Amino acid sequence: MVLKVISAENILFQGEVEKVSLPGTDGTFMVLPHHASLISTLVKGKVIYEHDGNKGEVSVDGGIVDVDNDVVSVCIY
């Protein structure tokens, strides 16, 4: 699946991932390939992703996430 993390100024991350953990308003949640479509708000925390055994993270102050057709689009404040 593809993860895109963008702000108003630039693209912070874009690439293939196997899983991503997100700081949702109601708690942290994980998105895996073929996840059901969803839209959620995000709170301050870390977007943590994994690909080929390597982990990465992006700190966020909040935002929204849209999951659809194996594309996870994170728009941060």
Side-chain angles (χ1 to χ4, degrees):
M1 88 185 146
V2 175
L3 171 64
K4 299 176 185 177
V5 182
I6 60 172
S7 69
E9 295 84 28
N10 57 19
I11 298 171
L12 303 173
F13 177 84
Q14 182 171 331
E16 289 286 329
V17 298
E18 281 122 23
K19 60 184 173 180
V20 59
S21 176
L22 300 144
T25 303
D26 292 330
T28 301
F29 64 97
M30 184 166 292
V31 175
L32 299 171
H34 312 296
H35 196 285
S37 296
L38 71 83
I39 296 175
S40 179
T41 54
L42 302 175
V43 296
K44 186 173 184 168
K46 294 182 179 180
V47 174
I48 302 170
Y49 54 90
E50 187 172 326
H51 180 64
D52 288 338
N54 297 315
K55 291 185 179 181
E57 62 183 49
V58 177
S59 294
V60 300
D61 288 330
I64 59 170
V65 60
D66 174 67
V67 178
D68 192 38
N69 291 324
D70 274 348
V71 177
V72 181
S73 301
V74 178
C75 300
I76 63 170
Y77 303 140

